[in-house]
Amino acid sequence: MNKTGIIGAMELEVEELKSKMTVSGITKKAGMEFYEGTLSGAQVVIVRSGIGKVNASLCVQILADIFEVTHIINTGVAGSLNAALDIGDILISRDAIHHDMDVTIFGYQPGEVPQLGVREFTADIRLTELAKSSCEKVNPGVHAIFGRVVSGDQFISDKEIKERLIRDFQGDCAEMEGASIAHGAYLNKIPFVIIRAISDKADDSAQMDYPAFEKAAARHSARLVEDMVQYI
Ligand code: ADE
């Protein structure tokens, strides 16, 4: 029996999904509340992990160990690094990289996790295809592309840093959890996908755009997740 863990870093990224699920139990662990039950008829565990890579990693391990989830979806918002991705558009992960992992001094590639042999954590192809078809169904008119998520414990709001993330990582969007979720899913052999709606352009306008658009963007991503879980 499949059971999908759905992670959002912030309450606004999961509140709509929680309001639509049928809850059979709530478990508190590591400061997080894990809502177990069904969503669109599928077994799910929905959780707000908190912001940043440490919170996200802990959350994945709890989903793996305590809830034994078979799949993981990360839903939320991100800053765009790709001129083809405007505010409100959706990025579905092909892969994810830690942009703040740097052991290049010893010959590793930027973002490569030393001694793991992995730089890009690859998303599950079936989950990415499901996400795309659910997006076309429930968000008609919303532009969605496949691409690369780059993550770090940093809100990106500077043109020069943005350009470095594009140059060094060929990132399509920047956020603060995806690569940790991907990394944790990889270590636990759990298929995953990251779905992020664009709330800002990760440049000097991000500080203004983010608060204005985060809610609407988060809703685009959550609506897609609500539909796709039933096909997993
Ligand atoms: N989440 C949404 N926008 C972001 C940005 N610009 N940087 C990091 N995380 C984000």
Side-chain angles (χ1 to χ4, degrees), residues 12-225:
L12 75 94
E13 292 168 329
V14 288
E15 65 193 0
E16 192 165 324
L17 293 172
K18 288 203 299 202
S19 75
K20 292 194 170 153
M21 77 182 286
T22 305
V23 180
S24 59
I26 302 173
T27 306
K28 289 190 186 170
K29 185 115 186 129
M32 304 170 203
E33 290 185 339
F34 295 81
Y35 285 67
E36 264 185 292
T38 55
L39 176 69
S40 310
Q43 291 291 328
V44 294
V45 183
I46 303 181
V47 55
R48 172 176 65 88
S49 63
I51 296 169
K53 299 203 318 175
V54 173
N55 285 323
S57 306
L58 281 168
C59 186
V60 168
Q61 200 56 51
I62 294 168
L63 285 171
D65 289 347
I66 311 262
F67 297 97
E68 300 183 330
V69 299
T70 56
H71 299 77
I72 290 178
I73 301 175
N74 173 217
T75 174
V77 298
S80 172
L81 301 176
N82 179 334
L85 275 177
D86 215 336
I87 290 172
D89 291 348
I90 288 190
L91 185 288
I92 299 166
S93 65
R94 258 195 228 293
D95 57 24
I97 300 184
H98 297 286
H99 70 66
D100 54 0
M101 175 65 80
D102 183 352
V103 192
T104 50
I105 190 76
F106 293 122
Y108 293 100
Q109 286 182 275
E112 183 178 353
V113 182
Q115 304 187 349
L116 190 65
V118 182
R119 179 181 189 240
E120 307 92 8
F121 296 96
T122 306
D124 181 73
I125 187 82
R126 190 171 151 265
L127 291 180
T128 64
E129 295 293 346
L130 282 181
K132 186 85 160 75
S133 50
S134 286
C135 191
E136 281 159 10
K137 185 169 142 199
V138 300
N139 288 322
V142 171
H143 176 57
I145 63 167
F146 296 117
R148 173 166 293 165
V149 176
V150 297
S151 314
D153 283 321
Q154 246 182 321
F155 187 88
I156 308 300
S157 55
D158 179 295
K159 197 164 165 286
E160 274 162 31
I161 298 175
K162 172 178 178 169
E163 275 160 15
R164 185 177 63 79
L165 298 186
I166 297 168
R167 187 191 65 229
D168 290 354
F169 301 101
Q170 295 77 49
D172 293 298
C173 76
E175 40 78 298
M176 301 175 69
E177 297 83 21
S180 285
I181 291 169
H183 189 159
Y186 168 83
L187 293 176
N188 286 283
K189 299 187 171 56
I190 300 172
F192 76 91
V193 66
I194 302 158
I195 299 157
R196 295 278 177 160
I198 301 302
S199 55
D200 58 82
K201 300 280 188 71
D203 56 15
D204 307 306
S205 60
Q207 193 183 353
M208 297 284 282
D209 288 342
Y210 177 80
F213 297 112
E214 61 172 350
K215 203 162 183 157
R219 211 171 292 136
H220 284 173
S221 183
R223 200 179 308 145
L224 185 172
V225 173

